[in-house]
Amino acid sequence: MATDMQKLLVTSEEDDDEEMDMDVKEEDDDHRNRGTRAASGSSNDDFMFQQSMQDQVGTPGGGGSRRSRPLEEKERTKLRERHRRAITARILGGLRRHGNYNLRVRADINDVIAALAREAGWLVLPDGTTFPSKSQGTKPPGGSSAVAAGSSASHIASQQTSPPALRVVSSGHRSPVELSSCRMKGVFTPGPSPYDIPPTQSPELVVNVNKAVGLVGSSIDVINSKQILEIPPNLTEQDFSGTPYVPVYVMLPLGVINMKCELADRDGLLKHLRILKSIHVDGVKVDCWWGIVEGHSPQEYNWNGYKQLFQMIRDLNLKIQVLMSFHECGGNVGDDVCIPLPHWVAEIGRTNPDIYFTDREGRRNPECLSWGIDKERVLRGRTALEVYFDYMRSFRIELAEFVEDGVISMVEIGLGPCGELRYPSCPIKHGWRYPGIGEFQCYDKYLLKSLRKAAESRGHLLWARGPDNTGSYNSQPQGTGFFCDGGDYDGLYGRFFLKWYSQVLIDHADQILSLAKLVFNSSCIAAKLPDVHWWYRTTSHAAELTAGFYNPSNQDGYAAIASTLKKHGATLSFVSGEVQVLNRPDDFTGGLGEPEAVAWQVLNAAWDSDTPIARENSLPCHDRVGYNKMLESVKFPNDPDRRHLSSFAYSRLIPALMEGHNIVEFERFVKKLHGEAVMNHHHQHQQV
């Protein structure tokens, strides 16, 4: 064994000497070339002076000190080269150890420059060509080439070097802490198409995409066929081959239909849908916005854009999951468009702002309607429940063909902000930032009337009020008298209030789902439940309480919700937040969050009531580590009962998903969800 190691070290040293000799030879050649060029540009006097000096020193091959100078220069060059290599080795070692760069053992300075350029968002091709990425808004210059620094030998090596591995440190997505900087734009704002296919695809993928979208022979750029995608080292992966088939849906962009109820970019969307079909995605998920369809006048519905969209999807033999979106879009996680509630509803809200959820300070939230008006005729003679019912019935009539032929596989009913069953307790527009506990949203006159009625039935008129010691949006539990350990949340009044507050949420879901079941009959309906995980490791679970889930450490706040869904044959669609922990683990530690624990409590509540479960991710993910995390939350590899989900919805179809290595990783993720065998690579390169 020792002999083999010695041979290896000797061979490595000889290789280093050979490379240094080559560098020295090139440096000597360069000196001679510069001397020749200088001589050719000098005068005859200068040339005669140089010739005279050469005669005095001696000709090459003669005696004297002429032979010793090149040898001394060569040794000095070797020392400089060894010193340079030592510095490079230290840089590479630091990047491997602290920066998670996957650089080969004998990487050179070109590899370092390329890795840093890619980290900064530049595209570096194997031949050294470098240009800004698509996300920087600059197209690659046609035919231009950036020559990497270094010698010929290192340049050849750089052509064989793979791009850096997909990094685990961050996937570049906003956390809840950074939501204040979310970029907003109108649906109808003109701009570049969100469906442009980036020119950075791998060659095989581009060929497949071209075949899928009918663009063979088009101008889409095909890069060097030697491009290699490297995966993170030491990555352990589960084998999901033979596991139950889980259908995969991709959520379409929020602004796929504009405010005129027209397709925003038909051709671009069609290209992307064909790509999704080519990698065997089962279908797509679509928001049907109340603010677009019934936007101008009550009971005047415009479904034209959705009819065209659904026809396009059906022609590609894809399925559709539909979300009845009774909320506004804008200001929440991932919102890049602004779609308000219907105009006629906003007019009513200006004269009667109590139709909106209201906090203790009297601030209104027009994101969705208060559940207090579910049975109040304040919407031009209709109750909120009647408005929701009429909207769903219009959808069922106008798009009946897609429901009856099975193209629409599930209808998810929007029950609150972001379409989720929860109070809007953490509104960014009112200053909330993660991990604030949020505030109760029961101070509109209709919900206060309901609270007063409940207090009277208990014989405690003093309880007809909201708690006054709950802090503010960004408080922490221990800083309040209500949520702290042993606080009022667990007293007689606290238990009464929280029971009433959560029961309003359950009653709202019960009433709307009963109407949805009447409308859609045999179709699968669903309700979306959020992942409110921060402060889960405290006794009060303050963030869950303000969101409407009566789930302190001595209560189960999700069992009653799961039973309500089971009553109407509805699927529980759970928004998963585990991948966020990979991106910013310190955020969850600071907020004493426990996303996996919340998920398991919700899933067990659904399983105990025999309620089907679907799932979607809360933030985009494009790296293998994140995909593996999602797979574990969908497939449950260690579950002895082999339970699995009814479907998985990926959020969301954005241009970054269509980039070469991202779509390759996503296709691999889809295959694993389908239970297909996928080759795992650990220390090898994956050819794409």
Side-chain angles (χ1 to χ4, degrees), residues 35 40 99 103 106 115 136 219 248-249 274 279-280 320 328 345 393 425 431 437-438 514 540 574 639:
S40 63
L103 296 167
R106 302 190 63 191
Q136 292 177 288
S219 59
V248 182
Y249 292 77
R274 284 174 171 166
I279 63 173
H280 307 293
I320 306 172
E328 75 168 8
V345 172
R393 183 175 58 182
S425 56
I437 59 177
S514 64
S540 63
F574 184 63
D639 183 11

Side-chain angles (χ1 to χ4, degrees), residues 389 509-519 525 567-568:
F389 176 77
D510 183 30
Q511 292 160 0
I512 293 189
L513 291 177
S514 64
L515 296 176
K517 198 60 183 175
L518 286 175
V519 171
I525 62 173
K567 171 183 173 183
H568 301 291

Side-chain angles (χ1 to χ4, degrees), residues 168 171 173 176 434 529-534 574-588 593-603 607 613-621 623 625-637 645 648:
V168 186
S171 54
H173 305 120
Y434 178 89
L529 210 63
D531 175 18
V532 184
H533 54 261
W534 52 104
F574 184 63
V575 181
S576 172
E578 288 102 323
V579 176
Q580 292 174 255
V581 182
L582 296 174
N583 297 333
R584 299 181 70 94
D586 294 340
D587 290 347
F588 299 93
E594 196 79 41
E596 292 186 354
V598 177
W600 277 112
Q601 185 181 353
V602 172
L603 296 177
W607 284 328
I613 307 169
R615 205 158 187 175
E616 69 179 59
N617 56 308
S618 57
L619 292 176
C621 168
D623 61 86
V625 175
Y627 283 136
N628 287 344
K629 189 70 175 177
M630 285 194 285
L631 282 164
E632 293 174 4
S633 69
V634 174
K635 287 284 192 172
F636 316 116
L645 305 187
F648 179 84

Side-chain angles (χ1 to χ4, degrees), residues 420-437:
E420 300 168 345
L421 179 59
R422 63 174 175 89
Y423 287 88
S425 56
C426 300
I428 298 167
K429 64 183 70 177
H430 292 163
W432 174 84
R433 295 296 180 267
Y434 178 89
I437 59 177

Side-chain angles (χ1 to χ4, degrees), residues 66-103:
R66 180 69 180 123
R67 293 176 57 86
S68 61
R69 289 187 177 180
L71 291 175
E72 293 173 358
E73 183 66 26
K74 185 175 181 180
E75 290 301 321
R76 284 196 295 269
T77 302
K78 281 189 176 183
L79 290 175
R80 286 196 300 269
E81 183 65 17
R82 289 182 187 276
H83 181 64
R84 182 181 68 81
R85 290 180 185 275
I87 294 175
T88 302
R90 293 190 190 100
I91 294 174
L92 297 178
L95 291 175
R96 290 193 200 96
R97 188 177 308 109
H98 306 297
N100 200 28
Y101 287 91
N102 189 10
L103 296 167

Side-chain angles (χ1 to χ4, degrees), residues 474-493:
N474 295 311
S475 297
Q476 297 188 3
Q478 296 306 317
T480 70
F482 191 82
F483 298 113
C484 65
D485 292 347
D488 293 345
Y489 80 92
D490 203 26
L492 289 176
Y493 162 72

Side-chain angles (χ1 to χ4, degrees), residues 153-385:
S154 60
H155 179 72
I156 294 173
S158 70
Q159 290 182 323
Q160 301 170 347
T161 304
S162 65
L166 301 177
R167 299 186 61 196
V168 186
V169 190
S170 170
S171 54
H173 305 120
R174 291 189 294 267
S175 73
V177 182
E178 302 166 312
L179 294 178
S180 58
S181 62
C182 286
R183 178 176 55 86
M184 301 293 297
K185 69 174 183 179
V187 179
F188 44 85
T189 303
S193 168
Y195 302 106
D196 290 341
I197 297 179
T200 59
Q201 318 289 27
S202 63
E204 289 83 356
L205 180 65
V206 172
V207 172
N208 292 335
V209 169
N210 287 349
K211 291 179 179 178
V213 301
L215 293 175
V216 174
S218 70
S219 59
I220 295 180
D221 296 331
V222 179
I223 64 174
N224 193 313
S225 63
K226 296 292 185 181
Q227 183 176 359
I228 294 173
L229 175 65
E230 191 172 341
I231 67 172
N234 304 321
L235 178 65
T236 58
E237 297 187 80
Q238 293 274 359
D239 180 12
F240 293 99
S241 59
T243 57
Y245 185 100
V246 176
V248 182
Y249 292 77
V250 175
M251 301 173 70
L252 294 188
L254 295 169
V256 66
I257 301 292
N258 63 26
M259 293 299 293
K260 297 178 181 179
C261 203
E262 300 170 342
L263 274 171
D265 181 9
R266 178 185 177 86
D267 294 338
L269 176 62
L270 183 59
K271 292 176 184 178
H272 276 188
L273 290 177
R274 284 174 171 166
I275 295 172
L276 295 179
K277 179 64 178 178
S278 71
I279 63 173
H280 307 293
V281 167
D282 296 270
V284 295
K285 192 169 184 176
V286 183
D287 288 273
C288 289
W289 295 102
W290 181 32
I292 292 178
V293 175
E294 197 183 359
H296 300 291
S297 301
Q299 295 181 284
E300 291 185 8
Y301 307 100
N302 178 7
W303 297 101
N304 291 337
Y306 288 102
K307 290 179 181 178
Q308 298 173 21
L309 174 62
F310 289 7
Q311 183 62 51
M312 180 192 304
I313 297 170
R314 179 169 63 180
D315 290 344
L316 292 172
N317 197 26
L318 292 168
K319 299 289 186 181
I320 306 172
Q321 289 183 347
V322 175
L323 174 58
M324 300 280 105
S325 299
F326 297 114
H327 60 283
E328 75 168 8
C329 177
N332 286 305
V333 179
D335 289 355
D336 59 355
V337 296
C338 183
I339 305 174
L341 296 185
H343 177 70
W344 59 272
V345 172
E347 288 181 345
I348 297 173
R350 280 191 282 272
T351 58
N352 181 15
D354 284 288
I355 67 173
Y356 302 126
F357 283 106
T358 308
D359 64 16
R360 187 158 50 90
E361 299 296 326
R363 288 169 291 195
R364 315 289 184 173
N365 189 339
E367 186 174 353
C368 60
L369 297 180
S370 168
W371 301 333
I373 66 169
D374 277 355
K375 296 183 178 180
E376 300 284 344
R377 295 190 177 279
V378 294
L379 300 175
R380 304 280 178 90
R382 292 186 296 166
T383 67
L385 290 177

